[in-house]
Amino acid sequence: MNLDRRQRRNTNGRPSQATFWVRRVVALLILAILVALVVFVVRFAWAWMQAADDTQQRAQAEQTTKELVTQPTTCDMNNIAYKLQPEKAENQVGSPVNFKIVLRNTKGDQPCTMNGASDKVGVKIVTGQDTVWQSWKCQGSAQEQPLLLGTAVEYNSTLTWDGKVRNGCDKGDLAQAGTYQAIPVLNDKEITEAKAVFTLK
């Protein structure tokens, strides 16, 4: 009778020692999992924010570098290649002679600006020791012509000589048959190494 009462008390009363420890272990495991989950979420969020911040900083640095690299400067005339080519190697006496002008920035990784007005970019024509024509002379005030020369960018233009000899600012007689040299002139500097030869017949 007493044994039955003790068994009923054990059944209806507090849980057994084994059950108590099992529950405690389960609770601790759940708590550990929750803590680990919180730590993982916090670390993930921190890493994501750090990565986003690094990406933004890199983008800003690249943009700044790009702006520094591509910001145009004033052209150094030593870095400007001037190519001059007569439209025809042989021309008729009394006919206009056209010259193709090409300006190129030899430092193409750094865009630059220059004045391409007719009093800055010109052609001088000579035969023997005689100067026949200078394109920038007697034109009055030339309007400024800003040019932007960048990577793989060339400026193309055409100058035309009317085929007459200039004596000062007065038009003279027609230039005679013979061999002539066209010398590029950039900012009053003759570029003799880029001169071109043509003839009048």
Side-chain angles (χ1 to χ4, degrees):
M1 187 69 177
N2 292 335
L3 180 59
D4 292 337
R5 289 178 180 176
R6 284 197 300 270
Q7 289 177 345
R8 283 196 299 272
R9 281 198 299 269
N10 289 339
T11 302
N12 298 326
R14 293 183 302 174
S16 65
Q17 194 72 11
T19 301
F20 175 79
W21 281 109
V22 169
R23 290 179 178 178
R24 174 171 287 187
V25 170
V26 171
L28 290 174
L29 286 174
I30 293 174
L31 180 60
I33 292 173
L34 290 175
V35 171
L37 183 61
V38 170
V39 171
F40 174 79
V41 171
V42 170
R43 287 185 176 179
F44 177 82
W46 173 258
W48 182 84
M49 288 188 295
Q50 191 67 33
D53 186 63
D54 291 343
T55 300
Q56 185 177 9
Q57 290 181 359
R58 284 196 300 270
Q60 290 176 347
E62 291 173 357
Q63 180 65 24
T64 300
T65 301
K66 183 177 180 181
E67 290 175 355
L68 289 175
V69 170
T70 59
Q71 185 66 29
T73 60
T74 301
C75 292
D76 181 345
M77 292 298 104
N78 293 324
N79 297 327
I80 300 301
Y82 185 163
K83 181 180 179 182
L84 177 65
Q85 184 66 47
E87 190 176 81
K88 294 186 295 184
E90 295 184 357
N91 302 268
Q92 295 295 319
V93 172
S95 298
V97 181
N98 295 321
F99 300 94
K100 180 182 179 182
I101 293 173
V102 179
L103 298 176
R104 181 172 56 85
N105 178 12
T106 59
K107 294 191 68 174
D109 57 339
Q110 179 61 60
C112 67
T113 58
M114 62 171 287
N115 183 6
S118 58
D119 62 338
K120 303 297 181 183
V121 181
V123 177
K124 177 181 179 180
I125 298 178
V126 300
T127 179
Q129 299 298 319
D130 298 328
T131 298
V132 176
W133 182 63
Q134 297 176 92
S135 65
W136 63 94
K137 295 288 187 178
C138 306
Q139 291 190 6
S141 179
Q143 184 176 2
E144 183 175 353
Q145 185 176 352
L147 301 179
L148 174 61
L149 301 177
T151 304
V153 175
E154 294 182 342
Y155 168 73
N156 294 272
S157 182
T158 300
L159 278 176
T160 301
W161 173 42
D162 62 7
K164 294 182 178 181
V165 178
R166 292 276 185 166
N167 183 12
C169 291
D170 297 326
K171 290 185 179 181
D173 298 329
L174 293 177
Q176 299 301 305
T179 300
Y180 293 78
Q181 292 182 349
I183 304 173
V185 178
L186 188 60
N187 283 2
D188 296 325
K189 179 182 178 181
E190 295 184 12
I191 308 175
T192 55
E193 63 272 18
K195 63 185 177 182
V197 177
F198 67 98
T199 60
L200 294 181
K201 290 187 176 182

